[in-house]
Amino acid sequence: MKEAYAQALALRQAATEVGAALIVNDRCDLALAVKADGVHLGQEDLPLADARRLLGRETIIGLSTHTTDQVREAELLKPDYIGFGPIFSTSTKTDHDPVVGIEGLHAARALTTLPMFAIGGIMPDTVGDIMTAGADGVAVISAILKAPDLDAAIRTFQQLCSTQTRPTR
Amino acid sequence: MKEAYAQALALRQAATEVGAALIVNDRCDLALAVKADGVHLGQEDLPLADARRLLGRETIIGLSTHTTDQVREAELLKPDYIGFGPIFSTSTKTDHDPVVGIEGLHAARALTTLPMFAIGGIMPDTVGDIMTAGADGVAVISAILKAPDLDAAIRTFQQLCSTQTRPTR
């Protein structure tokens, strides 16, 4: 945890420098300690209502969802955004939930107006379909971290997400 | 974490009913969420100053120490109490720090007036020596959880700790 704290502090400074939001995974206390912009909660993390009480209205709270039931529940819990996936199979997590596919993303999109970020095995060549299905953006790990040129990979995703026309909701 | 949260909520109610303090290990956010009386930090957890900022002055913050250097540092960090140990070898943690023995406890006691709780492999027959060496109490896990009669084991420890005369500091 001391190492996570040190890394989060360094990321806090880096994020501020480039004007990016810093979202800490799981740990509300770490998020508070380093003044992160938000926290991302999984289905097994602290309940959203408690996190909101600790973090206040100004802090971004995201919630992972993996099924349409969880998306419906998120509509009531009112996170600032939801993650939805895994869209495709991913090597980042070995114990991931069942893949939902583009069809699953379509179905989830119909259930909520919350900002929705698609996650799970997304590569540049599938971003088009994902944005067309109504995602507000994508969350990627290996597609960037395993890319030969990290900076180029990030720019590619940024461009793909911003030029796609999302269906009006 | 959801399970830890549910257990902490149940413990919060139980602790209130018997008038005991509830101290949550490591997680300041969980402690805040269930209104615990305090949090106990290890050397690798969130820095104490940050925990204090999150939790405020009224919340108990304990700190694990394992060496005289860490005890000296604790004197500056001002936790509400420190744990010190492992006094003896313990089966609860497989990766525990080197045992400090009664002599180590004596040496640590000379360095601080902070309330000090001895931990690590303590059984009823060693409580006398530990309290004489200047501990303010003992922290036990297996000596209670592995005892044939849990309630009786707790009463034995309570009695042993309260009847021992601590040296004046």
Side-chain angles (χ1 to χ4, degrees):
Chain A
M1 184 60 187
K2 274 243 162 85
E3 198 193 324
Y5 176 79
Q7 288 183 351
L9 269 187
L11 285 168
R12 169 68 288 173
Q13 192 175 344
T16 302
E17 281 167 15
V18 299
L22 174 65
I23 311 282
V24 169
N25 200 34
D26 297 352
R27 297 278 307 235
C28 297
D29 47 0
L30 182 56
L32 283 167
V34 304
K35 298 187 172 55
D37 299 290
V39 72
H40 184 86
L41 302 175
Q43 288 288 325
E44 296 305 314
D45 292 330
L46 211 60
L48 198 139
D50 289 278
R52 179 65 76 198
R53 195 154 45 78
L54 299 184
L55 299 169
R57 272 294 345 156
E58 297 305 304
T59 304
I60 298 165
I61 301 183
L63 180 66
S64 290
T65 61
H66 312 291
T67 65
T68 47
D69 278 353
Q70 289 173 357
V71 173
R72 282 192 195 92
E73 193 191 22
E75 265 288 289
L76 306 173
L77 295 172
K78 300 259 170 275
D80 295 295
Y81 72 89
I82 58 173
F84 185 71
I87 309 298
F88 307 114
S89 186
T90 165
S91 60
T92 301
K93 290 190 175 188
T94 52
D95 61 339
H96 64 67
D97 288 76
V99 299
V100 295
I102 296 286
E103 304 72 29
L105 182 58
H106 253 298
R109 176 73 288 170
L111 297 173
T112 180
T113 56
L114 289 168
M116 178 185 286
F117 295 86
I119 187 168
I122 298 168
M123 299 298 282
D125 63 344
T126 48
V127 170
D129 286 348
I130 282 168
M131 299 301 284
T132 304
D136 294 280
V138 300
V140 289
I141 299 177
S142 59
I144 284 176
L145 294 186
K146 292 183 181 165
D149 183 340
L150 195 139
D151 287 356
I154 293 172
R155 278 193 300 272
T156 298
F157 275 107
Q158 286 178 322
Q159 205 163 13
L160 284 168
C161 287
S162 62
T163 55
Q164 291 293 329
T165 312
R166 288 190 293 277
T168 325
R169 293 194 293 280
Chain B
M1 184 60 188
K2 275 245 161 83
E3 198 194 322
Y5 177 78
Q7 289 185 351
L9 269 187
L11 285 168
R12 168 69 287 172
Q13 191 174 345
T16 302
E17 281 167 16
V18 300
L22 173 65
I23 311 282
V24 168
N25 201 33
D26 298 354
R27 296 279 306 234
C28 297
D29 46 1
L30 182 56
L32 283 166
V34 303
K35 298 187 172 54
D37 299 290
V39 71
H40 184 86
L41 302 175
Q43 289 287 326
E44 296 306 312
D45 292 330
L46 212 60
L48 198 140
D50 289 278
R52 180 64 77 198
R53 195 154 45 79
L54 299 184
L55 300 169
R57 272 299 337 162
E58 298 304 304
T59 304
I60 299 166
I61 302 183
L63 180 66
S64 290
T65 61
H66 312 291
T67 64
T68 47
D69 278 354
Q70 288 174 358
V71 172
R72 282 194 195 93
E73 193 192 20
E75 265 288 288
L76 306 174
L77 295 172
K78 300 260 172 273
D80 295 296
Y81 71 88
I82 58 174
F84 185 71
I87 310 297
F88 308 115
S89 188
T90 166
S91 59
T92 302
K93 290 193 177 187
T94 51
D95 60 339
H96 63 67
D97 288 77
V99 299
V100 296
I102 298 286
E103 304 71 30
L105 182 57
H106 252 297
R109 178 71 288 172
L111 297 174
T112 180
T113 56
L114 290 168
M116 179 185 285
F117 295 86
I119 188 167
I122 298 168
M123 300 297 282
D125 62 345
T126 48
V127 171
D129 287 348
I130 282 167
M131 298 302 282
T132 304
D136 294 279
V138 300
V140 290
I141 298 175
S142 59
I144 285 177
L145 294 186
K146 292 184 182 166
D149 183 340
L150 194 139
D151 287 356
I154 292 172
R155 279 193 299 273
T156 299
F157 275 107
Q158 287 178 322
Q159 207 163 14
L160 283 168
C161 288
S162 62
T163 55
Q164 292 292 330
T165 312
R166 287 191 295 276
T168 325
R169 292 195 294 277

mmCIF file of all heavy atoms in Angstrom, chain B residues 87-92 118-130 138-148 153 156-157 160-161:
data_model
loop_
_atom_site.group_PDB
_atom_site.id
_atom_site.type_symbol
_atom_site.label_atom_id
_atom_site.label_comp_id
_atom_site.label_asym_id
_atom_site.label_seq_id
_atom_site.Cartn_x
_atom_site.Cartn_y
_atom_site.Cartn_z
ATOM 1 N N ILE B 87 6.524 -10.621 19.528
ATOM 2 C CA ILE B 87 7.303 -10.951 20.722
ATOM 3 C C ILE B 87 7.843 -12.380 20.587
ATOM 4 O O ILE B 87 9.021 -12.621 20.817
ATOM 5 C CB ILE B 87 6.428 -10.847 21.997
ATOM 6 C CG1 ILE B 87 5.669 -9.518 22.042
ATOM 7 C CG2 ILE B 87 7.286 -11.065 23.249
ATOM 8 C CD1 ILE B 87 6.545 -8.286 22.117
ATOM 9 N N PHE B 88 6.961 -13.269 20.223
ATOM 10 C CA PHE B 88 7.352 -14.669 20.013
ATOM 11 C C PHE B 88 6.977 -15.077 18.587
ATOM 12 O O PHE B 88 6.319 -14.323 17.868
ATOM 13 C CB PHE B 88 6.645 -15.586 21.017
ATOM 14 C CG PHE B 88 6.801 -15.151 22.442
ATOM 15 C CD1 PHE B 88 5.694 -14.744 23.195
ATOM 16 C CD2 PHE B 88 8.054 -15.136 23.051
ATOM 17 C CE1 PHE B 88 5.832 -14.336 24.505
ATOM 18 C CE2 PHE B 88 8.204 -14.731 24.366
ATOM 19 C CZ PHE B 88 7.087 -14.329 25.095
ATOM 20 N N SER B 89 7.394 -16.237 18.209
ATOM 21 C CA SER B 89 7.025 -16.760 16.897
ATOM 22 C C SER B 89 5.518 -17.028 16.859
ATOM 23 O O SER B 89 4.930 -17.443 17.853
ATOM 24 C CB SER B 89 7.788 -18.055 16.623
ATOM 25 O OG SER B 89 7.568 -18.461 15.293
ATOM 26 N N THR B 90 4.917 -16.752 15.731
ATOM 27 C CA THR B 90 3.472 -16.914 15.619
ATOM 28 C C THR B 90 3.111 -17.659 14.341
ATOM 29 O O THR B 90 3.799 -17.521 13.328
ATOM 30 C CB THR B 90 2.743 -15.547 15.628
ATOM 31 O OG1 THR B 90 1.392 -15.736 15.197
ATOM 32 C CG2 THR B 90 3.426 -14.569 14.687
ATOM 33 N N SER B 91 2.067 -18.419 14.415
ATOM 34 C CA SER B 91 1.614 -19.158 13.237
ATOM 35 C C SER B 91 0.580 -18.379 12.441
ATOM 36 O O SER B 91 0.226 -18.749 11.329
ATOM 37 C CB SER B 91 1.014 -20.500 13.663
ATOM 38 O OG SER B 91 -0.073 -20.292 14.532
ATOM 39 N N THR B 92 0.101 -17.227 13.026
ATOM 40 C CA THR B 92 -0.939 -16.467 12.340
ATOM 41 C C THR B 92 -0.412 -15.863 11.043
ATOM 42 O O THR B 92 -1.085 -15.864 10.018
ATOM 43 C CB THR B 92 -1.485 -15.356 13.251
ATOM 44 O OG1 THR B 92 -1.998 -15.949 14.439
ATOM 45 C CG2 THR B 92 -2.578 -14.565 12.563
ATOM 46 N N ALA B 118 1.611 -5.524 23.073
ATOM 47 C CA ALA B 118 2.507 -6.578 22.591
ATOM 48 C C ALA B 118 1.711 -7.566 21.746
ATOM 49 O O ALA B 118 0.548 -7.860 22.038
ATOM 50 C CB ALA B 118 3.155 -7.281 23.773
ATOM 51 N N ILE B 119 2.336 -8.070 20.697
ATOM 52 C CA ILE B 119 1.658 -8.994 19.797
ATOM 53 C C ILE B 119 2.635 -10.060 19.318
ATOM 54 O O ILE B 119 3.829 -9.827 19.240
ATOM 55 C CB ILE B 119 1.039 -8.232 18.587
ATOM 56 C CG1 ILE B 119 0.166 -9.168 17.743
ATOM 57 C CG2 ILE B 119 2.107 -7.564 17.730
ATOM 58 C CD1 ILE B 119 -0.722 -8.445 16.729
ATOM 59 N N GLY B 120 2.104 -11.217 19.017
ATOM 60 C CA GLY B 120 2.920 -12.268 18.410
ATOM 61 C C GLY B 120 3.147 -13.470 19.307
ATOM 62 O O GLY B 120 4.017 -13.444 20.172
ATOM 63 N N GLY B 121 2.379 -14.514 19.116
ATOM 64 C CA GLY B 121 2.624 -15.774 19.818
ATOM 65 C C GLY B 121 2.388 -15.746 21.319
ATOM 66 O O GLY B 121 2.920 -16.587 22.046
ATOM 67 N N ILE B 122 1.605 -14.763 21.764
ATOM 68 C CA ILE B 122 1.400 -14.618 23.215
ATOM 69 C C ILE B 122 0.330 -15.591 23.711
ATOM 70 O O ILE B 122 -0.771 -15.656 23.163
ATOM 71 C CB ILE B 122 1.013 -13.163 23.560
ATOM 72 C CG1 ILE B 122 2.160 -12.230 23.154
ATOM 73 C CG2 ILE B 122 0.690 -13.037 25.045
ATOM 74 C CD1 ILE B 122 1.796 -10.761 23.177
ATOM 75 N N MET B 123 0.673 -16.339 24.749
ATOM 76 C CA MET B 123 -0.251 -17.266 25.388
ATOM 77 C C MET B 123 -0.411 -16.839 26.852
ATOM 78 O O MET B 123 0.386 -16.041 27.360
ATOM 79 C CB MET B 123 0.285 -18.701 25.291
ATOM 80 C CG MET B 123 0.484 -19.204 23.858
ATOM 81 S SD MET B 123 -1.047 -19.302 22.883
ATOM 82 C CE MET B 123 -1.752 -20.813 23.540
ATOM 83 N N PRO B 124 -1.438 -17.343 27.522
ATOM 84 C CA PRO B 124 -1.657 -16.908 28.902
ATOM 85 C C PRO B 124 -0.402 -16.995 29.780
ATOM 86 O O PRO B 124 -0.151 -16.098 30.595
ATOM 87 C CB PRO B 124 -2.753 -17.868 29.400
ATOM 88 C CG PRO B 124 -3.533 -18.186 28.166
ATOM 89 C CD PRO B 124 -2.525 -18.239 27.059
ATOM 90 N N ASP B 125 0.418 -18.017 29.606
ATOM 91 C CA ASP B 125 1.565 -18.191 30.512
ATOM 92 C C ASP B 125 2.691 -17.187 30.280
ATOM 93 O O ASP B 125 3.646 -17.147 31.051
ATOM 94 C CB ASP B 125 2.109 -19.635 30.412
ATOM 95 C CG ASP B 125 2.624 -19.955 29.012
ATOM 96 O OD1 ASP B 125 2.307 -19.188 28.073
ATOM 97 O OD2 ASP B 125 3.348 -20.950 28.866
ATOM 98 N N THR B 126 2.594 -16.386 29.209
ATOM 99 C CA THR B 126 3.641 -15.386 28.979
ATOM 100 C C THR B 126 3.162 -13.959 29.217
ATOM 101 O O THR B 126 3.949 -13.007 29.113
ATOM 102 C CB THR B 126 4.191 -15.484 27.532
ATOM 103 O OG1 THR B 126 3.103 -15.550 26.605
ATOM 104 C CG2 THR B 126 5.053 -16.731 27.369
ATOM 105 N N VAL B 127 1.878 -13.800 29.542
ATOM 106 C CA VAL B 127 1.328 -12.458 29.740
ATOM 107 C C VAL B 127 2.018 -11.765 30.912
ATOM 108 O O VAL B 127 2.308 -10.562 30.863
ATOM 109 C CB VAL B 127 -0.206 -12.518 29.965
ATOM 110 C CG1 VAL B 127 -0.731 -11.153 30.396
ATOM 111 C CG2 VAL B 127 -0.910 -12.977 28.697
ATOM 112 N N GLY B 128 2.320 -12.505 31.963
ATOM 113 C CA GLY B 128 2.967 -11.922 33.140
ATOM 114 C C GLY B 128 4.266 -11.216 32.782
ATOM 115 O O GLY B 128 4.459 -10.035 33.098
ATOM 116 N N ASP B 129 5.126 -11.914 32.093
ATOM 117 C CA ASP B 129 6.417 -11.345 31.688
ATOM 118 C C ASP B 129 6.234 -10.133 30.791
ATOM 119 O O ASP B 129 6.983 -9.147 30.871
ATOM 120 C CB ASP B 129 7.245 -12.401 30.924
ATOM 121 C CG ASP B 129 7.797 -13.465 31.848
ATOM 122 O OD1 ASP B 129 7.733 -13.267 33.085
ATOM 123 O OD2 ASP B 129 8.270 -14.500 31.342
ATOM 124 N N ILE B 130 5.227 -10.214 29.922
ATOM 125 C CA ILE B 130 4.995 -9.135 28.958
ATOM 126 C C ILE B 130 4.511 -7.865 29.652
ATOM 127 O O ILE B 130 4.979 -6.763 29.357
ATOM 128 C CB ILE B 130 4.007 -9.611 27.870
ATOM 129 C CG1 ILE B 130 4.773 -10.489 26.880
ATOM 130 C CG2 ILE B 130 3.330 -8.454 27.165
ATOM 131 C CD1 ILE B 130 3.922 -11.268 25.935
ATOM 132 N N VAL B 138 -2.117 -6.840 25.562
ATOM 133 C CA VAL B 138 -1.647 -7.784 24.551
ATOM 134 C C VAL B 138 -2.674 -7.897 23.426
ATOM 135 O O VAL B 138 -3.863 -7.677 23.635
ATOM 136 C CB VAL B 138 -1.388 -9.200 25.143
ATOM 137 C CG1 VAL B 138 -0.338 -9.129 26.238
ATOM 138 C CG2 VAL B 138 -2.669 -9.830 25.654
ATOM 139 N N ALA B 139 -2.184 -8.206 22.244
ATOM 140 C CA ALA B 139 -3.055 -8.485 21.101
ATOM 141 C C ALA B 139 -2.867 -9.953 20.753
ATOM 142 O O ALA B 139 -1.740 -10.399 20.564
ATOM 143 C CB ALA B 139 -2.668 -7.603 19.918
ATOM 144 N N VAL B 140 -3.971 -10.687 20.720
ATOM 145 C CA VAL B 140 -3.872 -12.120 20.445
ATOM 146 C C VAL B 140 -4.884 -12.530 19.385
ATOM 147 O O VAL B 140 -5.946 -11.934 19.265
ATOM 148 C CB VAL B 140 -4.106 -12.969 21.723
ATOM 149 C CG1 VAL B 140 -2.939 -12.818 22.680
ATOM 150 C CG2 VAL B 140 -5.417 -12.617 22.390
ATOM 151 N N ILE B 141 -4.510 -13.513 18.619
ATOM 152 C CA ILE B 141 -5.452 -14.086 17.656
ATOM 153 C C ILE B 141 -5.605 -15.579 17.945
ATOM 154 O O ILE B 141 -6.611 -16.008 18.495
ATOM 155 C CB ILE B 141 -4.985 -13.856 16.194
ATOM 156 C CG1 ILE B 141 -4.904 -12.348 15.890
ATOM 157 C CG2 ILE B 141 -5.956 -14.517 15.220
ATOM 158 C CD1 ILE B 141 -4.347 -12.016 14.515
ATOM 159 N N SER B 142 -4.553 -16.334 17.638
ATOM 160 C CA SER B 142 -4.680 -17.793 17.747
ATOM 161 C C SER B 142 -4.912 -18.249 19.193
ATOM 162 O O SER B 142 -5.615 -19.239 19.415
ATOM 163 C CB SER B 142 -3.460 -18.485 17.149
ATOM 164 O OG SER B 142 -2.273 -18.078 17.789
ATOM 165 N N ALA B 143 -4.353 -17.524 20.163
ATOM 166 C CA ALA B 143 -4.528 -17.936 21.563
ATOM 167 C C ALA B 143 -6.003 -17.929 21.952
ATOM 168 O O ALA B 143 -6.421 -18.636 22.871
ATOM 169 C CB ALA B 143 -3.727 -17.023 22.495
ATOM 170 N N ILE B 144 -6.790 -17.130 21.243
ATOM 171 C CA ILE B 144 -8.232 -17.098 21.508
ATOM 172 C C ILE B 144 -8.981 -17.969 20.498
ATOM 173 O O ILE B 144 -9.782 -18.818 20.867
ATOM 174 C CB ILE B 144 -8.756 -15.637 21.452
ATOM 175 C CG1 ILE B 144 -8.336 -14.896 22.728
ATOM 176 C CG2 ILE B 144 -10.276 -15.612 21.292
ATOM 177 C CD1 ILE B 144 -8.742 -13.444 22.749
ATOM 178 N N LEU B 145 -8.678 -17.757 19.225
ATOM 179 C CA LEU B 145 -9.460 -18.450 18.196
ATOM 180 C C LEU B 145 -9.214 -19.961 18.183
ATOM 181 O O LEU B 145 -10.087 -20.726 17.770
ATOM 182 C CB LEU B 145 -9.161 -17.866 16.808
ATOM 183 C CG LEU B 145 -9.616 -16.419 16.591
ATOM 184 C CD1 LEU B 145 -9.401 -16.014 15.145
ATOM 185 C CD2 LEU B 145 -11.080 -16.221 16.984
ATOM 186 N N LYS B 146 -8.043 -20.378 18.633
ATOM 187 C CA LYS B 146 -7.763 -21.811 18.664
ATOM 188 C C LYS B 146 -7.995 -22.421 20.036
ATOM 189 O O LYS B 146 -7.733 -23.610 20.249
ATOM 190 C CB LYS B 146 -6.323 -22.077 18.196
ATOM 191 C CG LYS B 146 -6.101 -21.769 16.721
ATOM 192 C CD LYS B 146 -4.688 -22.137 16.264
ATOM 193 C CE LYS B 146 -4.486 -21.776 14.793
ATOM 194 N NZ LYS B 146 -3.055 -21.815 14.415
ATOM 195 N N ALA B 147 -8.474 -21.625 20.980
ATOM 196 C CA ALA B 147 -8.743 -22.151 22.323
ATOM 197 C C ALA B 147 -10.006 -23.008 22.291
ATOM 198 O O ALA B 147 -10.928 -22.725 21.523
ATOM 199 C CB ALA B 147 -8.912 -21.001 23.314
ATOM 200 N N PRO B 148 -10.067 -24.047 23.113
ATOM 201 C CA PRO B 148 -11.261 -24.901 23.140
ATOM 202 C C PRO B 148 -12.497 -24.126 23.581
ATOM 203 O O PRO B 148 -13.589 -24.342 23.067
ATOM 204 C CB PRO B 148 -10.901 -25.998 24.147
ATOM 205 C CG PRO B 148 -9.677 -25.530 24.858
ATOM 206 C CD PRO B 148 -8.996 -24.529 23.993
ATOM 207 N N ALA B 153 -11.143 -18.182 27.239
ATOM 208 C CA ALA B 153 -9.809 -17.696 26.860
ATOM 209 C C ALA B 153 -9.757 -16.178 26.935
ATOM 210 O O ALA B 153 -8.784 -15.597 27.430
ATOM 211 C CB ALA B 153 -9.458 -18.183 25.457
ATOM 212 N N THR B 156 -9.673 -15.086 30.545
ATOM 213 C CA THR B 156 -8.343 -15.338 31.114
ATOM 214 C C THR B 156 -7.380 -14.202 30.763
ATOM 215 O O THR B 156 -6.687 -13.663 31.631
ATOM 216 C CB THR B 156 -7.774 -16.677 30.579
ATOM 217 O OG1 THR B 156 -8.650 -17.724 30.980
ATOM 218 C CG2 THR B 156 -6.376 -16.929 31.128
ATOM 219 N N PHE B 157 -7.374 -13.817 29.504
ATOM 220 C CA PHE B 157 -6.473 -12.737 29.080
ATOM 221 C C PHE B 157 -6.841 -11.413 29.741
ATOM 222 O O PHE B 157 -5.975 -10.658 30.177
ATOM 223 C CB PHE B 157 -6.487 -12.593 27.548
ATOM 224 C CG PHE B 157 -5.536 -13.537 26.859
ATOM 225 C CD1 PHE B 157 -6.001 -14.637 26.170
ATOM 226 C CD2 PHE B 157 -4.168 -13.313 26.899
ATOM 227 C CE1 PHE B 157 -5.123 -15.503 25.528
ATOM 228 C CE2 PHE B 157 -3.285 -14.180 26.271
ATOM 229 C CZ PHE B 157 -3.762 -15.281 25.584
ATOM 230 N N LEU B 160 -5.651 -11.558 33.328
ATOM 231 C CA LEU B 160 -4.189 -11.521 33.418
ATOM 232 C C LEU B 160 -3.647 -10.121 33.146
ATOM 233 O O LEU B 160 -2.721 -9.665 33.822
ATOM 234 C CB LEU B 160 -3.565 -12.507 32.422
ATOM 235 C CG LEU B 160 -3.606 -13.982 32.806
ATOM 236 C CD1 LEU B 160 -3.239 -14.862 31.610
ATOM 237 C CD2 LEU B 160 -2.676 -14.255 33.984
ATOM 238 N N CYS B 161 -4.232 -9.431 32.166
ATOM 239 C CA CYS B 161 -3.737 -8.100 31.829
ATOM 240 C C CYS B 161 -4.124 -7.063 32.870
ATOM 241 O O CYS B 161 -3.382 -6.109 33.108
ATOM 242 C CB CYS B 161 -4.250 -7.667 30.452
ATOM 243 S SG CYS B 161 -3.462 -8.540 29.096
#
